[in-house]
Amino acid sequence: MTKAKVAVLISGRGSNMAALLYAAKAADCPYEIVLVAANDSEAAGLTLAAAEGIATFAHSHKGLKRAEFDAIIDARLREAGAHYVALAGYMRLLSPEFVANWEGRMLNIHPSLLPKYKGLNTHAQAIAAGDSHAGCSVHIVTAELDDGPVLGQTPVAILPGDSEDSLAARILIAEHQLYSRTLADFVTRERSPDYLLAKVRERALALPQVDEVTSHGMPCFGILKGKKFAYVSHNHHGDGVVALLVKTTAAEEQAMLIESDPARYYRPAYFGDGWVGIRLDLGDTDWDQIAERLHAGWRQVAPRKLLGLMDIAEEF
Ligand code: GRF
């Protein structure tokens, strides 16, 4: 199993980062930590990460515009090969560009039962409100602070006489459990055949006059009552992979793609040279690129009249 590559961003103590890092040491953990980065070179978590053999990076945000600083971090994350970002006590508001670059691939942990108590001082607010439970949430990061879709939550009972600190300490225990489990589920989901098929389906059916049928036992996309341009194969002939088989646009294209990335592209058995297999289960699929490939494959089989109409529409 290839592990999903995760970078963790911290600003201080980094106990959640440590929880992710130690969970990742289990052989069956579906993710690995490829980088721990901080906006403060004094962040204590950096020392721990380095001692555990994880690459670290620190750069102060002082004197830099938000987008400038985020671009430095972004470049480092890409260099490290990260496919996901886990924010863990990262005390920075993020630029819209950075959030957009990692859309759907950046998680955060927040010490409240969202949507309650966004922002700071969550523990004090929960106590002051007389809540029976506080807790923690892991959510996808969107442009609004602490606002993205919640992936998992753990309620933590507030005890009589709890102070802000005593409650925070107990919630932290729950955070450490919740974050690694939620992150593991999140990266695993992206490799499940049903999830991958749904992603392809959404893109293929968005093309004009396309329908889905079952052909050779596989979900297959083609022009209505016409030719096929894409299949989703799952364990085809026992190969154990989930892949998109899509029509290529030129005779040499299959060979070129395989040469460019032999771990991802392959020659699909029984399909000949006019098709290419693209592994979808490697955990780092570029879905915009898949949409482009589907579009290109669709163009190969779309009736001329339809293509003509599309080209005219695109000119406007
Ligand atoms: C945690 O309480 C987390 O929920 C919040 O910031 C704190 C970070 O603690 N976002 P640590 O650095 O992970 O120990």
Side-chain angles (χ1 to χ4, degrees):
M1 175 188 66
T2 50
K3 296 193 180 228
K5 293 182 176 5
V6 177
V8 188
L9 299 186
I10 63 171
S11 293
R13 178 176 59 178
S15 72
N16 275 290
M17 176 276 295
L20 296 179
L21 188 160
Y22 290 122
K25 291 196 178 223
D28 63 352
C29 183
Y31 67 83
E32 62 180 322
I33 307 293
V34 294
L35 178 74
V36 174
N39 60 321
D40 177 358
S41 58
E42 304 286 300
L46 289 172
T47 315
L48 182 139
E52 292 292 353
I54 308 287
T56 60
F57 173 69
H59 199 294
S60 170
H61 58 271
K62 287 186 187 136
L64 290 174
K65 292 208 175 93
R66 194 174 299 287
E68 278 169 10
F69 175 73
D70 284 357
I72 293 171
I73 298 288
D74 192 79
R76 271 308 170 111
L77 298 178
R78 285 170 202 284
E79 237 174 80
H83 189 63
Y84 297 93
V85 175
L87 305 181
Y90 188 57
M91 303 303 280
R92 294 278 305 156
L93 292 175
L94 303 170
S95 61
E97 296 85 352
F98 188 81
V99 174
N101 284 346
W102 295 93
E103 188 191 351
R105 292 184 289 138
M106 179 156 56
L107 307 189
N108 180 42
I109 185 148
H110 183 74
S112 82
L113 294 175
L114 290 171
K116 274 188 163 179
Y117 316 132
K118 296 175 180 177
L120 298 173
N121 302 321
T122 56
H123 311 99
Q125 290 186 68
I127 294 170
D131 294 350
S132 69
H133 287 75
C136 50
S137 310
V138 172
H139 66 95
I140 298 180
V141 176
T142 55
E144 290 291 308
L145 180 70
D146 300 330
D147 194 59
V150 171
L151 299 171
Q153 288 188 314
T154 307
V156 172
I158 299 180
L159 303 182
D162 248 341
S163 67
E164 215 180 313
D165 287 349
S166 65
L167 178 60
R170 235 172 25 262
I171 291 178
L172 198 60
I173 300 171
E175 289 185 32
H176 295 164
Q177 307 281 325
L178 180 71
Y179 209 175
S180 58
R181 184 161 34 83
T182 310
L183 177 61
D185 286 350
F186 189 68
V187 305
T188 306
R189 184 189 76 163
E190 284 215 344
R191 289 147 195 250
S192 89
D194 287 348
Y195 174 84
L196 297 170
L197 171 60
K199 297 279 271 192
V200 172
R201 178 178 286 139
E202 192 188 327
R203 286 157 182 78
L205 294 182
L207 295 163
Q209 298 192 17
V210 170
D211 72 349
E212 179 180 346
V213 295
T214 302
S215 172
H216 304 285
M218 293 183 269
C220 167
F221 301 91
I223 305 291
L224 279 169
K225 301 201 183 82
K227 290 187 180 160
K228 315 291 177 216
F229 62 91
Y231 292 77
V232 174
S233 94
H234 175 211
N235 205 18
H236 194 50
H237 300 287
D239 62 7
V241 308
V242 185
L244 171 67
L245 314 183
V246 64
K247 254 195 167 316
T248 48
T249 56
E252 332 69 74
E253 199 174 27
Q254 184 198 65
M256 269 167 47
L257 288 168
I258 296 172
E259 199 183 294
S260 74
D261 189 351
R264 190 178 313 271
Y265 297 99
Y266 65 96
R267 182 179 203 281
Y270 307 106
F271 273 75
D273 290 333
W275 294 75
V276 69
I278 309 175
R279 297 266 313 252
L280 299 174
D281 55 355
L282 298 176
D284 61 352
T285 300
D286 178 340
W287 289 103
D288 291 338
Q289 207 201 338
I290 294 293
E292 280 167 28
R293 287 252 145 238
L294 287 165
H295 186 225
W298 174 87
R299 287 190 71 90
Q300 295 298 302
V301 299
R304 284 186 169 279
K305 205 172 149 199
L306 184 57
L307 275 179
L309 287 175
M310 289 293 293
D311 290 343
I312 292 167
E314 270 165 25
E315 275 176 31
F316 284 93

